Every structure is written in C-alpha cells, then in structure tokens.
Amino acid sequence: MHVKARVERALRRHLNGRDKPYDLGEAMRYALFPGGARVRPSFALGVAMACGDDRPTVTDAVGAAVEFLHCASLVHDDLPCFDDAHERRGKPSVHARFGEATALLVGDGLIMLAFQTIADAAPAAGDRLGPILRIVSDSAGMPRGLVSGQAMESEEACMIPAYHAAKTGALFEAAAAGGAIAAGGDVEIWREVGAKLGEAYQIADDIHDRAGTNGALGKPTGQDERFGRPNSVDEHGLQGAVRVLKRLIAETVEAVPDNAEAASLRALIGAQTERFVPKDLVTAAA
Amino acid sequence: MHVKARVERALRRHLNGRDKPYDLGEAMRYALFPGGARVRPSFALGVAMACGDDRPTVTDAVGAAVEFLHCASLVHDDLPCFDDAHERRGKPSVHARFGEATALLVGDGLIMLAFQTIADAAPAAGDRLGPILRIVSDSAGMPRGLVSGQAMESEEACMIPAYHAAKTGALFEAAAAGGAIAAGGDVEIWREVGAKLGEAYQIADDIHDRAGTNGALGKPTGQDERFGRPNSVDEHGLQGAVRVLKRLIAETVEAVPDNAEAASLRALIGAQTERFVPKDLVTAAA
C-alpha cells in the first residue's frame, strides 16, 4: 500500500467511533479531511519501513498521533486570538465554519485523540510504548515542543533557532524517532534525521511565506510579516535561504542510513520540502 | 504525608523544568497554584492507597495527570467563546490576567503535560502503563470524555445523564480506575466507585450553582442559568437534588471495598462532596 493511503487509513481507523457528539465530530472530520501533504506521518511511516516495520499497527499509531497533534495546532493557530485566519487548505478555517467554541474543542479533542491513538497501540507496542509516549508528548508540550514554540512567537526577544526547533522541529523529530521506536530502530540516528528535516521544512515554509503564491499550498502567504513573526528569509535573504534549504535537504538525505528502503525515503524527503519553493528560485539558487 | 501535600508535591515535580518559555510558564503556574480542593487527584491517591500503593511514583503521576487535565478544562472553559468568566478561584481567570492567546496555550500545555507526566512514570509503571494511558486519555477525549461533555453543553437536545457522565464522571472514573491500576488493584470495582462519586459531585456542583454563595468555593454561582446549561436541580427540585446527593454519597461510600484504608477514603468522599451544599439544605433534606 502507498504510504499516503496507509496514513489516511490510519487516521480514519483511530478516529472511527470517537467523532461524537455529532456536531463536534463533524467539525473534527472537517479539520482532518481532506488533509494537507501529511508530511509528518508519511515521514514516520517511511522511517519505520526503513527500520523493518515489524509492528505496523504501532507505526500507524505513531504516524496518526503526530498528524493529529499537527492538525490540532493548525486549528488553534487559526483562531482569532492567534492568526485570525479565515482560510486553511483552500476552505474556511474550522472556527470560520463552525464557530470559535467548536474550533477550540476540535483542537483539544485532536490532542486527546493523539494520545488515545497511542493507547490503541499499547497492546502491540509492548515495551516500546513508554519511549513512544515520551517522545510524542515532549514534542507537543513544554519546554521544547509545539506549545512552547507557539508561545515563543509572541515573545519580545525570540531566538529563531529555538523557536523553529520547538514550533516545527520537535514534531518532525517525534515523527522520525517515533517511527524508529515503533519498528525497533535506532532512536538517536533517526532523531537526528528528523531534526534536520524539520529545519529544512521550516525554511521551506519561510520561503513559501515570503515568495510563494498565495493559497498555492492551501495556505496564505505573507503571514509572518503580518504578525511580525521571525522568518529566516530576513536573516539569509531569499536566495540565501534557498541555498540553506538545499544544503539542509542534502544533509538530511545524507543522514538517512543505507538500506533497502533508504531510496524511497530519500525521494520522499526531497519531494516534500522542494514543493514549497517556487521553481524559478530553485533554478536561480542552483 | 498528608494526601493533599502529596498531590501538591506531585504537581510541582512534573511541572518542574517544563514551565518555559518564561511567560507561558508563569501563566501555567498561575493556572495551577494555589489550586482548588484537588478532589480528583486526592481521590486517585486515596484509591491507590486502598489498593496497597506499591508504586507510589505511578500513583502520583496518575493523580497529577488527572488534575492537569481538569485545570486545562477550567482554563479553556473560562475563555470568552465559552463561559467568558473573568474570575476563577477568587482571582482573575487566566485569560483575564494573561490574554486569550496565552490562556489557549496554557490549556493546550496542561493537556500535553498530563501525558508527559504519564510518560515520566513509564519506567516504574511497566505493564500498567498501557491501561493507565487508555483510561486517562479516554476520560478526557471523545466520544465519552471531557471534551465531548463540553461539546454536549451547546447541543439542542442535551441528555443530562450522558452530559454529566462525560463532563464530570469520566475524569472521576479515570482518577479512581487510574489510581487502582497504578497500585495493581481491581479496575472495575474502583471505576464504579469513581462513576458514583462523579455523579454525586456533579449534583453537588449543580446545587452549589443554584443555591450556594457566589464565590464561596472560588467560583461564581448562577452560571448554568446564564448559559442555559442543563442543571439537575431543574429535574429534582432543590430539596430533591440534595436527597439524591445524599443517596449517591451513601452509595459511593458503600461501594468502597472494606480494608485498612477504607475509612479514610470514605471520610474524604463525604467531606469533598458535602462542602458544596449549603448547611441549611443538608439539615432540611435529612
């Protein structure tokens, strides 16, 4: 089965029967489907497959949990008290469509669902459960996960590397290390691959925000300037940022250990990050 | 060590080092300390002690996790899109003091912290980890946990028993069953005690909302009427609700299995619920 299809199936399986009461369930499905590129769970599955994927239900649960946390952060990020974004993935954002109270609960419910999903995998996970829960919960929480990253956005003296590591890197690390743990692989090697990909992805996202086509990837551009948020293009310039991105992708691909599944994982890494960058920029920076 | 002191120590231990970045950490401590009655974690610890409490760090983690989830729900409940409550526990609510964006993140961060706390206990928990994660995550999530309960509040045709079971009962069940699992006790017996106590507690809360002194327990009264929320006093009348409460407390105390620790747990149950009811009502309904 294709990785993306496997991700969608896992998301539906773990949501199944939980999308209640009805109105909240509808809003939760709306927040999840159709999804974006599913970069994080695809990456988690790719890593697990590169490690043998001997417990596929555990792999699926890690991928789904990471995606649920990511989607939760998007729903809460879009709320009026943050970005006040009315569109997401080419349709009205969750609060624009269902109201703020429901959007708040959708985000909360998706966070809970991430951990219910890990609990679903507990019987198959055996002694891998504790390490999976450790990395996934830390990647979303404080002091160095997603929630801390969102808080750093509004700080006066925001340190860009720490901010990017928390806001984006941590969940990529969890996808990689979680995928590795699910399949009994080497956590530290894969955590490093995840950290590098997260860094690359954040720079790709920064470039898209400054130079991409508004709405082209299902999200508006120019948001960082609008909210005065740190963007690495300010530091490196546009061409410089593209060069940094290409270097990071090369390093990520390099960090993937050689084995039977490495080629497809490397292709996935390249494809997922480069689609963020306008083609003329890629050529110009070559 | 007194149960309440042990709860406070556990909350601080699991928060320790995670309350960053600084501003978010400050708001999170504000949301947690000083706390309310700590009913849920005290109950979790009481149950674990009645079951032998052979892995106290696991017991502490279950209690702290349940309290973190409870506090998260209070912070999000108080937001303008829900109750728009400006006070909580006799001081400004989190969003009134730190702004909506920070309050949203405090709630999210507390949810993550609940699961980071369970991860902290993983090495000591061994094969009890999966069942603990199962019950705690389900008690907070959908379709029958806290988040679903909050969503039911705004439904047209809200069924009171299902609403109360989700909004209040589930976390009490998780406190009881989680405390039992942490100590290797019988899950089903204690889940039943927790469900009954949750039901009693919800009715006590309803009575306080209708007949209590505004602010006496650190929360305003008259909220259910203000928001058109279901309140069991409408169904039973005030005296009737007090009678139901007394019956439920008696049943809860009855359901506690006899052993060395049963007496103190029974006393805790009585004290925690009866303080909600104005004294003249207790006498009148006797």
Side-chain angles (χ1 to χ4, degrees):
Chain A
M1 186 185 290
H2 189 275
V3 168
K4 184 99 187 285
R6 190 175 155 189
V7 167
E8 297 302 322
R9 195 189 54 173
L11 295 173
R12 287 183 194 279
R13 189 195 310 132
H14 291 284
L15 176 64
N16 191 24
R18 292 187 170 127
D19 46 351
K20 296 179 181 66
Y22 183 79
D23 294 351
L24 182 59
E26 189 194 352
M28 191 176 254
R29 287 191 303 272
Y30 181 90
L32 287 170
F33 309 107
R38 311 289 196 203
V39 183
R40 295 158 190 79
S42 300
F43 184 46
L45 267 59
V47 169
M49 289 188 275
C51 298
D53 197 23
D54 63 339
R55 297 183 193 174
T57 58
V58 183
T59 299
D60 287 355
V62 168
V66 166
E67 182 68 8
F68 290 141
L69 290 170
H70 170 61
C71 291
S73 81
L74 298 181
V75 175
H76 280 181
D77 256 0
D78 284 345
L79 282 169
C81 66
F82 276 108
D83 288 3
D84 195 17
H86 299 276
E87 281 205 26
R88 167 72 65 181
R89 292 173 180 162
K91 61 183 188 182
S93 55
V94 176
H95 70 91
R97 172 79 174 72
F98 297 92
E100 266 185 72
T102 299
L104 179 63
L105 291 180
V106 164
D108 289 357
L110 284 169
I111 299 173
M112 306 307 183
L113 182 55
F115 296 102
Q116 291 175 288
T117 295
I118 296 175
D120 293 342
D127 58 5
R128 297 176 190 173
L129 180 66
I132 288 171
L133 183 61
R134 170 87 286 151
I135 188 130
V136 173
S137 63
D138 284 347
S139 77
M142 297 158 68
R144 274 178 297 274
L146 197 45
V147 169
S148 287
Q150 287 181 280
M152 288 176 201
E153 246 172 48
S154 22
E155 287 202 325
E156 285 292 322
C158 176
M159 305 300 288
I160 294 190
Y163 163 64
H164 282 172
K167 170 102 187 177
T168 308
L171 217 49
F172 275 90
E173 273 185 58
I181 299 166
D186 186 307
V187 181
E188 289 314 317
I189 288 177
W190 289 103
R191 186 200 294 268
E192 181 66 26
V193 177
K196 280 200 183 298
L197 182 58
E199 219 183 320
Y201 194 84
Q202 181 62 56
I203 290 191
D205 199 48
D206 283 357
I207 294 169
H208 175 70
D209 190 71
R210 284 292 158 85
T213 307
N214 190 31
L217 296 173
K219 56 171 136 188
T221 54
Q223 295 296 92
D224 291 340
E225 191 164 4
R226 183 174 166 217
F227 295 106
R229 281 191 301 228
N231 182 309
S232 44
V233 171
D234 295 332
E235 193 182 335
H236 304 288
L238 199 50
Q239 296 293 349
V242 174
R243 274 191 297 271
V244 171
L245 172 62
K246 290 169 84 81
R247 177 175 56 72
L248 281 167
I249 295 174
E251 286 177 14
T252 310
V253 164
E254 183 81 11
V256 171
D258 278 314
N259 69 29
E261 295 284 342
S264 61
L265 183 59
R266 288 179 180 136
L268 176 79
I269 289 168
Q272 289 290 9
T273 40
E274 290 199 339
R275 77 196 173 86
F276 272 62
V277 183
K279 290 207 175 9
D280 53 332
L281 276 175
V282 176
T283 320
Chain B
M1 188 185 288
H2 189 275
V3 167
K4 185 101 186 288
R6 189 174 156 190
V7 167
E8 298 302 322
R9 194 190 56 175
L11 295 173
R12 289 183 192 278
R13 188 195 313 134
H14 291 284
L15 176 63
N16 191 24
R18 293 187 169 125
D19 47 350
K20 296 179 180 69
Y22 183 77
D23 293 351
L24 182 59
E26 187 193 353
M28 191 175 253
R29 287 191 302 272
Y30 181 91
L32 287 169
F33 307 107
R38 310 287 196 207
V39 183
R40 295 158 190 78
S42 300
F43 184 45
L45 267 60
V47 169
M49 288 189 275
C51 296
D53 196 23
D54 63 340
R55 299 185 192 172
T57 57
V58 183
T59 299
D60 286 355
V62 168
V66 165
E67 182 67 8
F68 291 141
L69 290 170
H70 170 61
C71 290
S73 82
L74 298 182
V75 174
H76 281 181
D77 256 1
D78 283 345
L79 282 169
C81 66
F82 275 108
D83 288 3
D84 195 17
H86 301 276
E87 281 205 24
R88 167 71 66 183
R89 293 172 179 162
K91 61 185 187 181
S93 55
V94 176
H95 70 91
R97 172 79 174 72
F98 296 92
E100 267 185 74
T102 298
L104 181 61
L105 291 180
V106 164
D108 289 357
L110 284 170
I111 299 173
M112 307 307 182
L113 181 56
F115 296 102
Q116 292 174 288
T117 296
I118 295 176
D120 293 341
D127 60 4
R128 296 175 190 174
L129 180 65
I132 287 171
L133 183 61
R134 172 85 287 150
I135 190 134
V136 173
S137 63
D138 284 347
S139 77
M142 297 159 66
R144 275 179 295 275
L146 196 45
V147 170
S148 286
Q150 285 180 284
M152 288 177 200
E153 246 171 49
S154 23
E155 288 201 325
E156 284 293 322
C158 176
M159 305 298 289
I160 294 189
Y163 162 64
H164 281 173
K167 171 103 189 180
T168 308
L171 217 49
F172 275 90
E173 273 185 55
I181 299 166
D186 185 307
V187 181
E188 289 315 316
I189 288 177
W190 289 104
R191 186 199 295 269
E192 181 66 26
V193 176
K196 277 197 185 299
L197 182 58
E199 220 183 316
Y201 194 83
Q202 181 62 56
I203 290 191
D205 199 47
D206 283 357
I207 294 169
H208 176 69
D209 190 71
R210 284 292 160 84
T213 307
N214 190 31
L217 297 174
K219 56 173 140 187
T221 54
Q223 295 297 92
D224 292 339
E225 192 164 3
R226 183 173 164 215
F227 295 104
R229 281 191 303 227
N231 182 308
S232 44
V233 170
D234 296 331
E235 196 183 332
H236 302 289
L238 199 51
Q239 296 293 348
V242 174
R243 275 191 297 270
V244 172
L245 172 63
K246 291 171 83 82
R247 177 176 56 73
L248 281 167
I249 295 174
E251 286 177 16
T252 311
V253 164
E254 183 80 10
V256 171
D258 278 315
N259 68 28
E261 294 286 341
S264 60
L265 183 58
R266 287 180 181 135
L268 176 78
I269 290 168
Q272 290 291 8
T273 40
E274 290 199 341
R275 77 196 172 86
F276 273 61
V277 183
K279 287 205 174 14
D280 52 332
L281 276 175
V282 177
T283 319

